[in-house]
Amino acid sequence: AAAQIGNSFRNEISPRSGLIRVREFTMCEIEHFCDPQEKNHPKFENVADTVMTLYSACNQMDGKSAQPVRIGDAVASGLVANQTLGYFMARIQQFLHRIGILPERLRFRQHMGNEMAHYACDCWDAECLTSYGWIECVGCADRSAYDLTQHTQATGVKLVAEKKLPAPKTIEVTEVVPNKAAIGKAFKKEAKGITDALAKLSLDDVSEIGKNLETNGEHTLVINGADVKLSGELIAVKKTTKTVHVEEITPSVIEPSFGIGRIMYSLLEHSFRMRDGDEQRSYFSLPPVVAPLKCSVLPLSNNAEFAPFVKKISSALTSVDVSHKVDDSSGSIGRRYARTDEIAIPYGITIDFDTLKEPHTVTLRERDSMKQVRIALDEVAQTIRDLATGRTSWTQIEEKYPRFEQQESSAK
């Protein structure tokens, strides 16, 4: 397989809809190569029970809605062409769910016959529901062997893979053998073009040359629009047998293709929230794994005694590779919480007057629920790292540490 990320361009006459329709955009693609005759995937059983919302071409034609289907059943029934395509569709769904795309606003729509590429075996688009309607964010296509076949025809370089045979077999090989010395003497500078053209001939072409040499004693080869007559002294068709242990196959390509701008737009729409009873307090509920900043460090006030603890916590977070923001600006702690919520920071560490006491503790706040726990200062950095990487959950943290109800605003 191969993966790449880069800019793509489209002749968009009228760019519009924010990040949805633009002339230049970032794409990520995976090119997964597989045997065209056996498109099973060794890890498909790991995702076979994944339930996906599939909007098949038949349902679109009949005016029906999308249906929840196990991907294993979809492949078994032929709705999804093969296991490898089904595997990548399931993994795309897992990825989109993990970064925060809402399950109820995600579906996979199958391309209809009039929109599918002529060489494709099957193609599904992961579509997200936004204020602009359903938009395509990820495409997943079985492009058959079209790409490698076209490259081979254009360059003359065979792009094939070797597949080990269960047992050796004897095959008959028919090939054109050029007399390079005689061709070079007869055609001079054009000789290389002739030998290159002979090397690209298909089995049918070789068979036709053999018949022409037997009946006419020569064969006319068309090179760059010009006829070149080759006699039996210049070329010969030979048949041999050989034992082979592998066979050459031109792999099919399964291609998941991600539009990063559209995914990001959908994610921002899906994660936008407003606090109950206070529409002025809005925030982005980005999962910690994709939030740019994982936590904020907030001293309760400008008390100089808090400064060493802020510095110590910031250094500890840096040492475990946790991105964070220190907000020691003026303003109430509630207002600073709201500011960090607006930029999707999932966790907040607050240094208060209880932090000054032995043993040193801080409060840890979760953005979405606004609940807080009291945690030892020496444990907080690793805890944030575990939360940000998904090794632990906020529910587990609440079970492990005592709940904290209210911040103090002044010393007792």
PDB file of all heavy atoms in Angstrom, residues 127 281 379:
ATOM      1  N   GLU A 127     -20.677  10.436   3.563  1.00  0.00           N
ATOM      2  CA  GLU A 127     -21.286  11.756   3.515  1.00  0.00           C
ATOM      3  C   GLU A 127     -21.693  12.204   4.913  1.00  0.00           C
ATOM      4  O   GLU A 127     -22.226  11.417   5.705  1.00  0.00           O
ATOM      5  CB  GLU A 127     -22.521  11.747   2.608  1.00  0.00           C
ATOM      6  CG  GLU A 127     -22.204  11.436   1.152  1.00  0.00           C
ATOM      7  CD  GLU A 127     -23.441  11.482   0.266  1.00  0.00           C
ATOM      8  OE1 GLU A 127     -24.562  11.243   0.778  1.00  0.00           O
ATOM      9  OE2 GLU A 127     -23.284  11.759  -0.936  1.00  0.00           O
ATOM     10  N   ARG A 281     -22.976  31.310  25.893  1.00  0.00           N
ATOM     11  CA  ARG A 281     -21.807  30.479  26.210  1.00  0.00           C
ATOM     12  C   ARG A 281     -21.763  29.299  25.243  1.00  0.00           C
ATOM     13  O   ARG A 281     -22.361  28.252  25.464  1.00  0.00           O
ATOM     14  CB  ARG A 281     -21.881  29.986  27.658  1.00  0.00           C
ATOM     15  CG  ARG A 281     -21.661  31.073  28.688  1.00  0.00           C
ATOM     16  CD  ARG A 281     -21.446  30.472  30.058  1.00  0.00           C
ATOM     17  NE  ARG A 281     -20.222  29.684  30.131  1.00  0.00           N
ATOM     18  CZ  ARG A 281     -19.829  29.022  31.215  1.00  0.00           C
ATOM     19  NH1 ARG A 281     -20.571  29.049  32.312  1.00  0.00           N
ATOM     20  NH2 ARG A 281     -18.709  28.324  31.211  1.00  0.00           N
ATOM     21  N   GLU A 379       0.359  13.995  39.812  1.00  0.00           N
ATOM     22  CA  GLU A 379      -0.315  13.026  38.951  1.00  0.00           C
ATOM     23  C   GLU A 379      -1.009  13.666  37.747  1.00  0.00           C
ATOM     24  O   GLU A 379      -1.382  12.971  36.799  1.00  0.00           O
ATOM     25  CB  GLU A 379      -1.370  12.237  39.745  1.00  0.00           C
ATOM     26  CG  GLU A 379      -0.808  11.389  40.869  1.00  0.00           C
ATOM     27  CD  GLU A 379      -1.923  10.676  41.619  1.00  0.00           C
ATOM     28  OE1 GLU A 379      -2.911  10.261  40.976  1.00  0.00           O
ATOM     29  OE2 GLU A 379      -1.818  10.539  42.849  1.00  0.00           O
TER      30      GLU A 379
END
